[in-house]
Amino acid sequence: MSEGNQGSIAGTRRVLKGLHGLGGVRTPSSVLPGVLARVGLRDTYWQQDSPIGPIYVAYGEGGVSAVRRASEATGFEEWYRTRFGRPVMQAARPPRALAEVVERRLGAGAQGDIEIDLRGVSAFQRAVLQKTLEIPRGEVRPYGWIAREIGRPGAVRAVGSALNHNPVPLLIPCHRVVQTNGRVGEYAFGSAAKRAVLEAEGASPDLLEELARRGVRYLGDTEDHTFCLPTCAGMHRRLTEPRYVTFRTPQQAVSAGYRACDVCRPALAS
Ligand SMILES: [Zn+2]
């Protein structure tokens, strides 16, 4: 915690003490939560549009802490207190700079850096979530790819569970992680929502499902002899051109003389 924060918290304590000392004088009930929120002792949230409809975005001194589908505010506040062990209150108005970054990250524009509060998650889950942040918009990676990339190739199921408990879906794009067989699979907000978000990002869920049905897991470029996961940016563009071949396994691609793309690292996805 910065010195400035400590200073302001000490200041708030003095204010609280002062309020207490007022005894019988009535103060507006909004004063205390507002003061707490301003100095980071209480988290706040606002409502915002997203590709899956309105969402709540909560934040505190550690950054954005939660993203949930907007429904009933009281229910969200109760859920938040249970999950994080601290209260949250609706912001009078969204913090402009943060709301703009969130909006950019949810939309098609530039992504922008965002501070995300992952203090409450395990080291394993943090590794999974940080790796997931690396998956570009419009692309997907299998659960097994995440597991291998973080050095835990046997932990595919645990990767799924970690993603299912992602505190900030959409901002950490767990929707970009698909089943190892290539199918779109499950999502914390439901598989229909997952398909909708992928579609909005330009990763065709229909194409992914069709390739999965055909058992196609890798695409090879017949000109430069590299093979990729189907949504790898370079390969995705080439899908409209008659210059790719399909593979079911990395071994099949390697035997045919293809080398793994060093961007999407498909050999790690078996
Ligand atoms: Zn690639």
Side-chain angles (χ1 to χ4, degrees), residues 47-110:
Q47 185 172 321
Q48 153 137 22
D49 283 335
S50 84
I52 57 156
I55 54 170
Y56 290 138
V57 182
Y59 65 102
E61 63 172 336
V64 176
S65 49
V67 168
R68 300 280 285 182
R69 259 191 162 136
S71 53
E72 201 239 325
T74 318
F76 171 73
E77 289 165 15
E78 279 168 15
W79 168 85
Y80 192 93
R81 186 193 282 267
T82 305
R83 165 126 189 198
F84 297 101
R86 55 185 193 266
V88 69
M89 62 174 286
Q90 192 144 18
R93 66 185 77 84
R96 195 198 292 175
L98 182 57
E100 279 175 8
V101 175
V102 169
E103 196 160 343
R104 276 205 302 278
R105 291 182 73 94
L106 295 176

Side-chain angles (χ1 to χ4, degrees), residues 9-221:
I9 288 170
T12 305
R13 290 205 178 107
R14 279 198 298 278
V15 170
L16 298 182
K17 235 172 149 182
L19 286 175
H20 187 70
L22 290 173
V25 179
R26 291 173 68 89
T27 53
S29 59
S30 60
V31 167
L32 182 55
V35 170
L36 289 174
R38 272 200 298 281
V39 296
L41 288 178
R42 180 175 282 197
D43 296 355
T44 44
Y45 69 97
W46 78 90
Q47 185 172 321
Q48 153 137 22
D49 283 335
S50 84
I52 57 156
I55 54 170
Y56 290 138
V57 182
Y59 65 102
E61 63 172 336
V64 176
S65 49
V67 168
R68 300 280 285 182
R69 259 191 162 136
S71 53
E72 201 239 325
T74 318
F76 171 73
E77 289 165 15
E78 279 168 15
W79 168 85
Y80 192 93
R81 186 193 282 267
T82 305
R83 165 126 189 198
F84 297 101
R86 55 185 193 266
V88 69
M89 62 174 286
Q90 192 144 18
R93 66 185 77 84
R96 195 198 292 175
L98 182 57
E100 279 175 8
V101 175
V102 169
E103 196 160 343
R104 276 205 302 278
R105 291 182 73 94
L106 295 176
Q111 293 293 285
D113 284 338
I114 191 166
E115 202 176 346
I116 293 174
D117 185 356
L118 293 179
R119 289 173 301 178
V121 307
S122 69
F124 175 81
Q125 193 183 4
R126 193 172 304 128
V128 169
L129 295 173
Q130 280 169 346
K131 182 51 72 175
T132 303
L133 269 173
E134 294 176 17
I135 307 172
R137 183 184 169 83
E139 301 190 24
V140 297
R141 301 285 184 269
Y143 291 105
W145 181 90
I146 299 267
R148 292 196 181 223
E149 285 270 321
I150 63 168
R152 298 286 299 278
V156 178
R157 213 174 268 256
V159 165
S161 172
L163 290 172
N164 207 31
H165 291 94
N166 176 7
V168 287
L170 297 172
L171 296 181
I172 293 183
C174 53
H175 57 275
R176 295 179 195 155
V177 188
V178 298
Q179 290 180 3
T180 300
N181 63 12
R183 301 202 60 177
V184 169
E186 287 308 309
Y187 184 41
F189 294 148
S191 53
K194 187 172 188 174
R195 291 177 60 92
V197 183
L198 289 175
E199 187 80 60
E201 294 188 344
S204 164
D206 287 341
L207 178 64
L208 293 172
E209 293 284 351
E210 191 210 318
L211 292 172
R213 263 196 305 276
R214 288 166 48 202
V216 172
R217 301 265 307 282
Y218 308 95
L219 301 174
D221 185 311

Side-chain angles (χ1 to χ4, degrees), residues 139 141 219 226-229 231-235 260-266:
E139 301 190 24
R141 301 285 184 269
L219 301 174
T226 55
F227 72 100
C228 284
L229 289 163
T231 56
C232 182
M235 185 52 75
C261 163
D262 53 15
V263 177
C264 64
R265 298 183 291 279

